[in-house]
Amino acid sequence: MVNQKTAKEDNMLTKEQVLKDYFTANLSRQLSIIGRKEVLTGKSKFGIFGDGKEIIQLAMARQFQNGDWRSGYYRDQTLMLATDMYSPEEFFSSLYGHTTLEHNPSHGGRSFNNHFGTRSIDENGEWKNLMVQKNSSADISPTAGQMPRLLGLAYASKVFKNEKGLHKFKNFTNKGNEVAFGTIGDASTSEGHFWETMNAAAVLQVPMAMSVYDDGYGISVPKEYQTAKGSISDALQGFEINKKGQKGILIYKGKGWDYPALLRLYKEGVERARKEHVPVLFHIDEVTQPQGHSTSGSHERYKSKERLEWEQAFDPIKKMREWILDDKLATAAELDKIEKEAVQKAKDAKKSAWKAFTQPMKEERDKLVKIIENRTCVCKRDHYDKAGEIADNLKRIVTPIRKDNFSAAKRILRHICTDCPKRKELKEQLGTWLKDNYKRVGPDYHSHLYSETKYAATSIQPVPIKYSEKEDTKPGREILRDNFEALFEHYPQLVTFGEDTGKIGDVNQGMEGMQEKFGEWRVSDTGIRETTILGQAIGLAMRGIRPIAEIQYFDYLLYALQTMSDDLATLLWRTRGGQKAPAIIRTRGHRLEGIWHSGSPLSMVINSIRGMLVCVPRDLTRAAGMYNTLLKSDEPALVIEPLNGYRLRERVPENIGEFTVPIGEPEVVHEGADVTVVTYGSCVRIAQEAARQLEDFNIGAEVIDVQTLIPFDKNQSILESIKKTNRVVFFDEDVPGGATAYMMQKVVEDQKAYFYLDSEPRTLSARAHRPAFSSDGDYFSNPNAENVFEIVYDLMHEAKPKEFPELY
C-alpha cells in the first residue's frame, strides 16, 4: 500500500479553509438530519443521504478542478456542496421532487433525492464550455450502475491527451488533464460492473480516482458476507502496480474520520492520477452512517450496541472538531458558532425550498376551487352538491400536490348535472383549466425522451443515394468500410472500439484498414467486456467525443442491456435536457446458425431502451446511410447490421459518406395491391423472395422495410399501403408476441389501420425457442420464404376461396 504521512505533518490548509470545511460538513449533516424528518413527516416519500461521509468528500473536493467529472452515487452531497455544484436549496427541492429546473437543475424532479448532475448543454442542445465548470454526470440508482460510465469519462481524458487532433476542442479538454472521480459503497463493489470497470481501467491506464466508502455493511449485511477477505483493497491487491512500467492500479487506504490524513491522501493520489494517467483506488475504512441506510428503516435493528457506540465516538465531524481544538486552529466558541450557522442555513434552505415547491400547486388548487365556488346552483339530480363537496375536500388539503388538483378537476366534471343551467359554462371553465394546466406541466414529466433540438435525427435533411450508370457492385462490407473511412476523414472526434475492431477491422472486416490509417486512439481493440465497452461510449459521448462502440454480436448486447436501459437511454430524459450522450452502438445479428449467434431479441431491447433510436438496416448500404445520419444528430442509437449481408454484393454509391437514410421513414421495396407485408432487417430479403413467388399466383404483396423500429413510421406511410391492400402481415424473427406485436400496435392502434382492414391482422415470427444448430435448425425455427408465402396466400384464400383454393 502507499504510505501515508501523519496528521501532524499536514499543513496544507489555512485556518480559514479548515473552518470553511467544518461549516460545510456541519451544513451537510444538518441537511441529512432535517431531510430525514421531512420524509418521516410525510413531506417526501423517501430519502437517502450522505451523513457520515462528510470528511472524505471534503478531502476529495479539494482536488476537484474545473473540467473534472464525477460519476458517483447518492451519498455525495458534501462533495457537491463543497465544489459548488449543488446548493442546500437544491437538496430540499430534490427531496420534494420539485419539477422546475430553476429550483432542481440536476433533474427537474425526475430522479430520487441526492441524485446529482450538472448541466452540460443549453436549452438548444448546444454544448456548454465544460472546462469552466465542475461536472457531475447524472446519477442512477442501480448499485454500481455508475461504474461503466465512469470508465468512459476517464478514458476520454486518455483519448484527448494522446490524439493531438482533439487538442483544439478546448471546451471539452485541456489536453486530457481531467480526472474522473468515482464513488461507491463498499457492498456495491460486489457487483460485476465494479470488477469489470476496475479491470478495464487498469488495462487502459486512465485517470480515474475511485473512492470506496466502507461503513462495514450493505444495508444490514456485514462486509464479510460481501467481499473476499472482508476488504476490497485486499481483494484488489492483484491489480496493484508493484513495479515501474506495470499496468494496474494504485491503492490508498484511509480512515473516514481522519480529516488531515485524508487531505494528504487525496492530494497525493489524485495528483498521480492526473499526472501519470493511472487509476487510483481510495479504500476509506471506518466510515459511519449515523442515520442508517435510508428512511426506509433503522440501523439499530442490525448493528450491535458496541458498533453503535463506536460510530458515535468516531463520528467524522466530532473527530474533526477534536482535531481543530487539539491543533488550536479555533476555539470551542468559534466552532459552536459555526455549528449554529450551519443549522440555521439548513433550516432557511428547507423553508425556502418548501415554499417554492408548494406555492404553485396551491395557486393551481385555488383557481380550480374558485370555478366551483362562483356557482349559484345546487345539483337537483343528486339532491346535494357533489361537485362542491369535492372542491371543499380539495380546499381542506393543506399542501396539495398536482395529483390532488387534477383528480379533483376530473371528478368534478363527472358530477355536473345534465340539467344544470350552468353546465355548459362550467364544463368549458373546467375543461380549460385541465387543458391549460396539462399543457403547462406536461413537459415537466414527459419532455426530452428524445432530442427536441435541430440535431434530432428525424430533423436531419435527407441526402439521396447517387448511383452511377455503370451499376458497379461490391460486397456490402466494402461499401460499409469505405463509408467509415469517409466518416473518419470528416469527423475528427469520431472514434470506434470493440472486440476485434482494431487490428483486424472487426470480425466481418467492416473496419478493415481503419486502425492503420487513423491510429490506435481512434480505432482500437478492447477486451471481452460488453458492459464497459458501452460505458466507454457513454462517458466519451458525454465529453464531446463521437464514439461508435461495437458489440460483436446482437446476442452479446444483453450483457450491456442494463446499462443501456438505465443509463444511456434515460440520460436526456432524466436530466430534462441537461446532458446528452450521442453514442452509437454498433452490432450485427439475425439469421445465422446456432443458439447464441442467431438471436433476434428485438422486443427485449426496444422495450428496454426507449430514449434511444433503434436502426435495423436490410443491407450494408442502408447501414452506412444510417451512420451518416446519426453522426449529424445528437441522439444515442443502436444499429443492428444484417449478419448475413457482408458478402452479398450491392450497388456502389457515388456519394459515399454523404448520403443519408431518413430515420423513422419506411421504404416500399416491392409493390403490390393485395397484402401489405411489414418487416425489417434480414427478413426483408426473405419477404422479397416470397413476394416474387406470390406473383406466380397473381398475388401482389407490398413489402415494406420499416428501417427503424424507434422511431417507427413517423409519417404513417404503412397506413397508406393498407388503405390500398386492406390486409397486413407483420413479419420478423423475434419470439411470438415480440416485435411483430409492437409493429402491429403501432399500425393497427396508433395509425388506426383497423378502419381499413378486410381481414384480421396477422403476425409471423420465429418459434419461442432458439434455433438448433445447422441450417435446418434455422429453417425450422425461423420463418422462411415459404412461411411468408403461406400466410399471405391464406389471407387471400380466406377472402377469395374460389380464386385461391387451398394448396395443401
Side-chain angles (χ1 to χ4, degrees), residues 82-190:
T83 53
D84 294 322
M85 289 189 280
Y86 201 61
S87 72
E89 288 79 9
E90 288 174 50
F91 172 91
F92 287 108
S93 293
S94 178
L95 185 67
Y96 302 141
H98 201 150
T99 56
T100 67
L101 292 177
E102 176 188 357
H103 296 281
N104 196 358
S106 289
H107 49 71
R110 295 184 177 183
S111 285
F112 278 11
N113 80 296
N114 272 18
H115 283 57
F116 312 106
T118 52
R119 303 193 75 75
S120 303
I121 55 178
D122 65 20
E123 62 276 8
N124 298 314
E126 302 289 352
W127 289 103
K128 294 183 176 183
N129 185 344
L130 303 182
M131 295 304 297
V132 298
Q133 65 181 47
K134 297 178 176 68
N135 304 284
S136 173
S137 59
D139 293 344
I140 58 175
S141 290
T143 50
Q146 70 272 32
M147 294 298 299
R149 175 200 334 134
L150 171 65
L151 176 70
L153 293 169
Y155 181 64
S157 292
K158 199 82 175 180
V159 175
F160 278 129
K161 178 181 179 179
N162 290 280
E163 184 57 42
K164 302 298 187 286
L166 295 177
H167 288 184
K168 62 185 177 181
F169 295 101
K170 295 181 180 180
N171 282 6
F172 299 114
T173 188
N174 177 21
K175 299 180 180 178
N177 191 50
E178 307 78 35
V179 172
F181 289 75
T183 62
I184 197 170
D186 181 66
S188 294
T189 64
S190 301

Side-chain angles (χ1 to χ4, degrees), residues 717-761:
S717 60
I718 296 172
L719 176 64
E720 297 306 310
S721 175
I722 292 173
K723 286 179 180 179
K724 175 175 62 175
T725 65
N726 308 117
R727 294 174 182 83
V728 64
V729 173
F730 299 96
F731 162 47
D732 77 348
E733 55 188 271
D734 194 6
V735 295
T740 51
Y742 164 81
M743 292 191 293
M744 183 162 66
Q745 186 267 337
K746 286 290 186 183
V747 175
V748 176
E749 182 180 339
D750 286 2
Q751 298 185 13
K752 295 183 170 45
Y754 60 87
F755 282 119
Y756 304 97
L757 292 176
D758 292 337
S759 302
E760 65 174 341

